[in-house]
């Protein structure tokens, strides 16, 4: 019986410490996974932005008069030099024009040893896709240069709409690898066939995550996508979801599949900190358990000493107990200090996760002015190619003014990062909602024109003066206008109605569209961060969440309702300046 009690007495503390380790490991793993999700969201945004950065460039080039003339005549003429200038300004690897048979007519690298001129690329998927009338996209190793790149192509049509050639660009994505490598994190990008295209570990590039099927291998060989590479499997083990073992080391494994072309982004995080913190908690728990046992033993000795009364043995035992108690108190203080340090590490980890979310938010918002600048620049290049003169000079001055405003807007948005370290209240003043709506409309005007959206203005005849921050209110209106444009992408009728007015001490602005409506969740669901109704890979779901926070900061209201006959009406209300 005595041995059985001793066994149980020894087994219980071990079971408690084992349970403490399991619980701590799950908690710290959840913390690391949350931080990793913020990082992988940021990396996904950079990949999507890089792929979409020149999505309209070939479309614009296909309508260039020099490109159209060269495609119809089959002779480059001065087009080589023109394409070289475009490539240098846009920092592209190459721009080249092919005939309908796939033979290159003109190229930006015509003067180099690796010239594309005379080379035939009819075997490339992007050429065939463009020749069929769509935009072709493809990632592979260059057949001429041997260097990898992302290819985008569009058909070149004559005035009757017949396809006379294909214009293509080659974009270098390896700078993404450099950014991942500098961050010290393990990141890789794989295509739909599970072939690693980019990786922070150079040895992992052109490896396959799973063995290729014979059909997939034949398609890759036909397109000469990875010439010279055996496409061997990557040495790793995936025994459970969210975790991977590489070279005997367990790692957190997060996958984002909402990327173009069926690509997947993989993020691998170390588990070392999880194990270290879990064992630290176990050590602290063991110390505290030992303190409790020692305290129990001390109390027991004290009761024995009280029973024996003032004998010398009792007093000696009491003095020894007091000495041990002092040691135990010091050990407990040491354990408490260790626990405080652990709590400090958890707080810093939480701040890192918050910083990742803020960076994703700023990345989302910067996409709007950058997209507008890209459209203005493309238009300026086309107008510059078509002719020059006094009117062209005036247009250039207007373009400079618009670009200056956009740059100031981007600088204002990036100040939110400084607010994370030292929050300050935004500068408030009188803001005319009519003027703010006009500024926001000018910012998204190229998008509205591209989507062929009819805009109707029903603005207040007098200025609607509210108290607020001009840049942040324009940011809200820009978000609402872009959401409205996105909601009407699939609509047969595309109408945008803008209204302003004053009511009950509040200045208000309404944006009504003819899109698909709010949906079953309403505004509350759409205002949740990272919730979006757009297709996968086309939106982050942060616009309404950011806008709601800005309006609340101005002590205003942001509401939405379904529009009769289809569509949505968003209404922003801000207190009037004279009411504040």
């Amino acid at each position: 019986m005595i041995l059985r009690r001793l066994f149980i007495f020894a087994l219980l503390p071990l079971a408690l410490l084992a349970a403490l380790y399991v619980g701590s490991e799950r908690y710290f793993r959840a913390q690391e996974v949350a931080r990793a999700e913020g990082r992988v969201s940021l990396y996904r945004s950079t990949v999507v932005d890089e792929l979409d950065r020149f999505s309209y460039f070939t479309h614009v080039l296909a309508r260039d008069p020099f490109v159209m003339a060269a495609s119809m005549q089959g002779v480059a003429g001065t087009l080589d030099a023109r394409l070289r200038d475009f490539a240098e300004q846009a920092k592209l690897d190459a721009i080249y024009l092919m005939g309908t048979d796939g033979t290159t007519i003109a190229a930006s690298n015509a003067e180099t040893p690796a010239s594309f001129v005379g080379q035939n690329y009819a075997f490339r998927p992007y050429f065939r896709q463009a020749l069929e009338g769509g935009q072709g996209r493809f990632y592979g190793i260059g057949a001429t240069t041997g260097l990898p790149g992302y290819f985008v192509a569009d058909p070149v049509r004559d005035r009757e709409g017949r396809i006379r050639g294909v214009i293509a660009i080659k974009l270098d994505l390896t700078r993404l690898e450099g950014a991942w490598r500098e961050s010290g994190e393990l990141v890789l990008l794989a295509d739909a066939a599970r072939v690693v295209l980019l990786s922070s570990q150079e040895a992992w590039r052109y490896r396959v995550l799973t063995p290729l099927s014979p059909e997939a291998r034949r398609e890759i060989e036909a397109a000469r996508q990875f010439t010279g590479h055996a496409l061997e499997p990557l040495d790793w083990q995936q025994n459970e979801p969210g975790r991977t073992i590489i070279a005997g080391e367990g790692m957190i494994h997060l996958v984002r599949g909402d990327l173009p072309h069926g690509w997947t982004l993989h993020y691998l995080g170390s588990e070392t900190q999880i194990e270290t913190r879990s064992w630290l908690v176990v050590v602290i728990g063991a110390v505290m358990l030992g303190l409790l046992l020692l305290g129990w033993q001390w109390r027991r000795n004290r009761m024995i000493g009280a029973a024996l009364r003032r004998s010398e043995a009792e007093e000696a035992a009491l003095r020894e107990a007091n000495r041990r108690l002092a040691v135990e108190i010091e050990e407990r203080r040491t354990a408490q200090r260790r626990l405080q340090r652990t709590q400090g590490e958890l707080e810093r980890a939480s701040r890192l996760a918050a910083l990742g979310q803020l960076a994703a938010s700023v990345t989302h918002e910067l996409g709007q002015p950058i997209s507008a600048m890209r459209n203005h620049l493309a238009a300026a290049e086309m107008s510059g190619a078509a002719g020059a003169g006094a009117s062209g000079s005036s247009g250039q001055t207007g373009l400079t003014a618009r670009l200056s405003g956009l740059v100031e807007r981007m600088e204002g948005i990036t100040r939110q990062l400084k607010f994370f370290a030292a929050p300050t209240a935004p500068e408030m003043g009188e803001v005319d909602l009519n003027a703010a709506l006009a500024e926001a409309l000018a910012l998204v005007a190229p998008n509205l024109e591209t989507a062929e959206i009819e805009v109707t203005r029903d603005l207040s005849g007098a200025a609607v003066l509210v108290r607020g921050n001009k840049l942040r209110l324009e940011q809200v209106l820009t978000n609402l206008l872009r959401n409205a444009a996105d909601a009407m992408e699939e609509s047969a009728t595309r109408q945008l109605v803008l209204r302003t007015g004053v009511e009950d001490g509040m200045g208000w602005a309404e944006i009504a569209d003819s899109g698909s409506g709010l949906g079953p969740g309403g505004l509350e669901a759409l205002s949740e961060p990272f919730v979006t109704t757009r297709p996968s890979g086309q939106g982050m779901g942060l616009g309404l969440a950011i806008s709601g926070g800005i309006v609340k900061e101005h002590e205003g209201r942001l509401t939405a309702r379904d529009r009769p006959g289809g569509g949505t009406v968003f209404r922003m209300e801000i207190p009037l300046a004279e009411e504040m």
Side-chain angles (χ1 to χ4, degrees):
M1 290 294 294
I2 295 176
L3 291 176
R4 183 178 179 182
R5 290 179 179 178
L6 289 175
F7 176 75
I8 295 175
F9 185 76
L11 187 60
L12 282 176
L14 292 177
L16 289 174
L17 293 177
L20 183 61
Y21 177 83
V22 172
S24 301
E25 195 272 344
R26 290 180 179 177
Y27 175 77
F28 291 128
R29 180 175 294 276
Q31 292 288 323
E32 285 297 315
V33 169
R35 187 190 73 84
E37 286 176 347
R39 298 294 295 168
V40 76
S41 295
L42 180 60
Y43 288 139
R44 178 208 167 272
S45 298
T46 58
V47 171
V48 172
D49 289 344
E50 193 69 14
L51 295 181
D52 290 342
R53 194 153 58 102
F54 293 98
S55 59
Y56 293 101
F57 195 52
T58 53
H59 180 77
V60 174
L61 287 175
R63 286 151 180 77
D64 184 85
F66 294 91
V67 173
M68 295 173 63
S71 65
M72 288 186 291
Q73 297 170 6
V75 180
T78 61
L79 185 59
D80 289 336
R82 183 175 179 83
L83 295 182
R84 183 176 63 251
D85 292 341
F86 286 163
E88 290 175 353
Q89 293 175 14
K91 294 182 174 55
L92 293 170
D93 278 10
I95 305 175
Y96 51 105
L97 173 65
M98 296 166 285
T100 55
D101 62 347
T103 302
T104 303
I105 300 172
S108 60
N109 60 3
E111 303 295 332
T112 66
S115 171
F116 291 178
V117 176
Q119 300 291 336
N120 189 287
Y121 299 110
F123 61 89
R124 289 295 200 188
Y126 67 84
F127 174 82
R128 296 194 298 268
Q129 293 166 3
L131 202 62
E132 292 173 358
Q135 184 179 71
R137 296 194 179 199
F138 178 74
Y139 185 91
I141 297 176
T144 303
T145 63
L147 300 176
Y150 183 67
F151 299 86
V152 182
D154 264 297
V156 179
R157 302 176 185 269
D158 58 18
R159 299 186 182 278
E160 286 74 28
R162 292 171 298 186
I163 296 178
R164 305 301 296 269
V166 173
I167 187 75
I169 64 173
K170 180 181 180 182
L171 176 64
D172 183 14
L173 298 183
T174 56
R175 54 176 165 268
L176 291 175
E177 289 183 321
W180 298 343
R181 198 173 296 117
E182 290 176 1
S183 69
E185 296 178 315
L186 296 178
V187 185
L188 61 89
L189 179 67
D191 65 7
R194 308 278 285 174
V195 179
V196 177
L197 305 179
L198 303 172
S199 172
S200 57
Q201 290 285 342
E202 188 173 354
W204 294 359
R205 195 190 304 161
Y206 308 129
R207 295 291 188 94
V208 292
L209 304 183
T210 56
L212 289 172
S213 65
E215 181 181 355
R217 189 174 290 275
R218 284 194 299 270
E219 290 180 359
I220 290 173
E221 291 174 354
R224 304 181 198 175
Q225 187 173 6
F226 303 109
T227 303
H229 294 276
L231 304 180
E232 298 177 351
L234 183 65
D235 184 17
W236 68 351
Q237 299 177 8
Q238 294 179 281
N239 298 328
E240 56 185 281
R243 190 171 186 269
T244 295
I245 298 177
I246 300 178
E249 179 183 357
M251 306 193 77
I252 296 172
H253 182 198
L254 296 183
V255 182
R256 290 295 297 269
D258 50 347
L259 289 167
H261 315 305
W263 291 2
T264 54
L265 184 68
H266 299 254
Y267 178 90
L268 301 169
S270 174
E271 293 183 339
T272 302
Q273 289 190 356
I274 297 175
E275 296 176 355
T276 301
R277 293 176 182 177
S278 299
W279 280 114
L280 180 60
V281 171
V282 170
V283 170
I284 294 173
V287 171
M288 296 181 66
L289 184 59
L291 291 176
L292 292 175
L293 292 174
L294 289 174
W296 174 81
Q297 183 65 32
W298 173 79
R299 182 176 179 84
R300 182 172 179 272
N301 291 339
R302 184 179 180 184
M303 293 175 63
I304 294 174
L308 294 176
R309 298 294 179 180
R310 300 180 177 271
S311 66
E312 293 181 359
E314 292 172 351
E315 293 181 358
L318 182 59
R319 287 195 296 270
E320 180 63 19
N322 288 334
R323 186 188 67 80
R324 288 201 302 266
L325 180 60
V327 174
E328 293 166 5
I329 292 174
E330 182 60 28
E331 290 177 349
R332 184 164 184 171
R333 289 175 178 172
T334 302
Q336 288 177 344
R337 288 194 292 269
R338 291 176 181 172
L339 182 59
Q340 289 175 352
R341 287 197 297 271
T342 302
Q343 291 173 342
E345 292 178 2
L346 291 178
E347 292 175 356
R348 287 192 292 273
S350 298
R351 288 178 64 86
L352 286 175
L355 182 59
Q357 294 176 353
L358 180 61
S361 171
V362 173
T363 301
H364 171 270
E365 291 303 318
L366 282 178
Q368 300 170 355
I370 289 175
S371 177
M373 290 177 66
R374 184 183 306 115
N375 289 327
H376 285 310
L377 285 173
E381 290 180 357
M382 290 298 299
S383 63
S391 60
S393 175
S394 175
Q396 185 65 28
T397 302
L399 175 61
T400 303
R402 289 195 298 271
L403 292 180
S404 298
L406 293 174
V407 170
E408 291 176 0
R409 180 175 182 82
M410 286 189 291
E411 292 176 347
I413 293 173
T414 54
R415 293 194 190 101
Q416 295 180 60
L417 287 174
K418 298 180 180 179
F419 177 78
F420 179 80
T424 56
E427 296 181 2
M428 297 291 187
E430 286 190 351
V431 180
D432 183 4
L433 287 185
N434 288 341
L437 188 56
E439 290 288 341
L441 189 61
L443 185 63
V444 301
N447 304 79
L448 300 180
E449 293 174 1
T450 302
E452 299 181 352
I453 296 175
E454 178 184 350
V455 180
T456 303
R457 299 174 178 84
D458 185 14
L459 306 183
S460 171
V464 181
L465 299 179
V466 299
R467 182 169 179 80
N469 181 276
K470 181 175 181 294
L471 177 62
R472 294 177 73 81
L473 291 181
E474 289 178 4
Q475 183 179 350
V476 174
L477 294 171
T478 302
N479 280 338
L480 296 180
L481 287 170
R482 287 189 58 105
N483 283 347
D486 293 339
M488 292 186 288
E489 285 183 349
E490 305 297 331
S491 299
T493 301
R494 302 177 183 178
Q495 295 179 340
L496 189 65
V497 181
L498 311 178
R499 302 185 182 92
T500 59
V502 176
E503 184 177 351
D504 297 332
M506 305 285 281
W508 56 268
E510 283 189 352
I511 297 175
D513 63 64
S514 58
S516 56
L518 287 173
L523 179 60
E524 182 176 356
L526 293 177
S527 297
E528 286 293 324
F530 302 104
V531 173
T532 176
T533 59
R534 300 197 67 195
S536 176
Q538 297 186 16
M540 295 179 62
L542 290 171
L544 287 179
I546 295 171
S547 300
I550 294 173
V551 174
K552 185 176 180 181
E553 180 181 90
H554 285 70
E555 299 181 1
R557 295 187 297 269
L558 181 62
T559 59
R561 65 182 187 274
D562 285 325
R563 184 183 183 189
T568 308
V569 179
F570 280 88
R571 181 184 179 101
M572 180 186 73
E573 300 180 359
I574 304 295
L576 293 173
E578 61 187 18
E579 299 291 331
M580 297 297 289

